[in-house]
Amino acid sequence: MPTVRLELTNVNGNVYSSNDCFSFNFEKESYTPYTHLNAVFSFNTTVANPKEVSFYIDDKRVHHGIIDKIDFCTEQVGRIVVRLSSKGFTSMLIQNQLEPGLKPNVSLNSLMGSFINIPNVTHENNSNTQNYIFIRNNSNMWDSIANLSYKLLGTYPYIEGTNTVRISPKENPKKVSLNNENMLSYGIVNDYTRIISDYHMQDINGDYSVYNLSNPVAYSRNIVRHKHIDIDRQYLYSPQDALVYRIAHCMRGFFSYYGEYNGYGGEDLSDILVIDGVITNARINKIEVSGNPKGISTKCYAYYDSFFNV
């Protein structure tokens, strides 16, 4: 059975570690710009002023992040039970904003390099340049990365490892092969919660009748949801593309396959999932790993939407 370890680091840099796990749930997903961990461990001491969390499975660090909430509970038997919730450091990309306005000749390298420093966040080395991106009021850093990724490659960014931003698919993906011998379960998920049926965007004069786009997938499922939006200066060269992007974005993860197995094989987003007789060579878009003293199980999802496995 895989081993797990939780490390807590305090503001002085001291590290406290435990292998005594009651339960944990780890998750990462292609459209969520951070890893997420909920865990309950037993420690032999409280940790004053904790600042960050690292979580390991078989000595591979799968999560490194800030603390959302942590509870040190001393029980009558004298042990200290630690309950915590943590998001990866890249979660701060959606909590910080760039200065609004036009930014010419932008690459992922220059965009990340011009941003405020966030601890432990890295990115793929990509100097491919887009003529410009437009930073809207109140948009966060992740919005800008997503727009750049779409304009450069037609892709959506994701987090590799613990805190590395990527906009291109992994070059040497690991393959996870599931069949009747090693698979606990498999299934299909239809998620329609984000689907929009129609977008209407105003033109430069404020007229909403010029740029419109309907989503046939929504109407085939009796979903009617209209959105009226301001003109998107990100796509002034081709305004209709702004609506194409939004329809694609609202369809994210609307259909997926998943397979579950015992243990954890070290797979990551953009690795390959094969479910015998069901799917072949699909990119992994969501990973859920959960465990307790009885064992660990992993569930891998492959989305079929406008950005992945099309």
Side-chain angles (χ1 to χ4, degrees):
M1 187 176 84
T3 60
V4 296
R5 184 171 83 255
L6 186 71
E7 290 183 352
L8 301 176
T9 304
N10 69 6
V11 294
N12 296 320
N14 298 318
V15 179
Y16 303 81
S17 179
S18 172
N19 300 92
D20 191 358
C21 174
F22 292 112
S23 65
F24 75 88
N25 181 265
F26 165 77
E27 183 175 313
K28 66 185 307 187
E29 193 260 350
S30 293
Y31 294 109
T32 303
Y34 53 83
T35 58
H36 188 258
L37 174 71
N38 286 303
V40 183
F41 273 72
S42 177
F43 274 69
N44 58 16
T45 183
T46 60
V47 179
N49 301 313
K51 71 172 184 178
E52 65 182 56
V53 177
S54 289
F55 180 63
Y56 297 81
I57 303 177
D58 280 343
D59 291 324
K60 176 184 178 180
R61 183 160 67 176
V62 298
H63 175 82
H64 187 200
I66 59 175
I67 294 170
D68 288 335
K69 185 177 182 180
I70 189 166
D71 176 1
F72 294 92
C73 177
T74 302
E75 298 185 340
Q76 289 183 345
V77 293
R79 69 182 179 186
I80 298 170
V81 178
V82 176
R83 296 174 174 84
L84 68 84
S85 177
S86 171
K87 294 185 183 70
F89 284 98
T90 49
S91 63
M92 288 183 280
L93 292 171
I94 61 174
Q95 298 166 348
N96 288 276
Q97 299 175 349
L98 286 168
E99 180 182 349
L102 187 72
K103 291 189 177 295
N105 302 318
V106 179
S107 68
L108 181 63
N109 290 352
S110 67
L111 182 63
M112 296 293 292
S114 67
F115 193 50
I116 58 175
N117 180 48
I118 297 178
N120 305 300
V121 173
T122 60
H123 61 89
E124 72 170 274
N125 180 17
N126 194 315
S127 59
N128 295 330
T129 301
Q130 176 63 33
N131 290 339
Y132 76 93
I133 62 170
F134 187 84
I135 312 300
R136 299 188 303 274
N137 288 331
N138 302 316
S139 65
N140 58 55
M141 179 60 172
W142 187 253
D143 293 333
S144 299
I145 296 170
N147 277 312
L148 178 64
S149 180
Y150 184 71
K151 294 178 87 171
L152 279 175
L153 301 173
T155 60
Y156 198 86
Y158 64 96
I159 303 303
E160 180 183 52
T162 54
N163 293 288
T164 298
V165 177
R166 287 193 64 90
I167 63 174
S168 61
K170 183 181 293 187
E171 295 179 354
N172 298 299
K174 174 186 179 70
K175 180 176 287 189
V176 179
S177 297
L178 302 180
N179 52 49
N180 290 333
E181 295 182 359
N182 64 356
M183 187 164 55
L184 296 176
S185 66
Y186 76 91
I188 297 171
V189 177
N190 295 274
D191 184 351
Y192 302 157
T193 55
R194 294 182 287 257
I195 292 179
I196 303 299
S197 63
D198 295 86
Y199 274 101
H200 313 278
M201 185 176 71
Q202 64 179 193
D203 65 7
I204 199 68
N205 298 313
D207 186 350
Y208 285 98
S209 66
V210 178
Y211 302 117
N212 301 277
L213 189 61
S214 293
N215 182 356
V217 175
Y219 280 101
S220 68
R221 288 157 177 77
N222 290 333
I223 296 172
V224 180
R225 298 173 184 144
H226 286 248
K227 292 278 188 179
H228 290 76
I229 62 174
D230 296 338
I231 186 171
D232 190 345
R233 299 181 185 276
Q234 194 77 249
Y235 297 92
L236 286 178
Y237 64 94
S238 181
Q240 197 70 18
D241 286 349
L243 305 183
V244 173
Y245 172 74
R246 280 168 170 77
I247 290 292
H249 190 251
C250 83
M251 297 295 293
R252 58 196 187 278
F254 85 103
F255 180 85
S256 61
Y257 291 101
Y258 67 84
E260 182 180 15
Y261 69 95
N262 280 322
Y264 171 64
E267 60 269 24
D268 202 351
L269 298 181
S270 198
D271 279 334
I272 299 297
L273 176 64
V274 177
I275 301 178
D276 190 29
V278 182
I279 58 173
T280 304
N281 294 333
R283 293 282 179 170
I284 294 174
N285 300 113
K286 184 179 181 181
I287 301 168
E288 295 176 338
V289 189
S290 58
N292 56 44
K294 295 182 179 181
I296 291 174
S297 64
T298 300
K299 188 179 288 186
C300 295
Y301 294 75
Y303 294 163
Y304 286 78
D305 60 21
S306 298
F307 291 104
F308 297 102
N309 298 311
V310 291

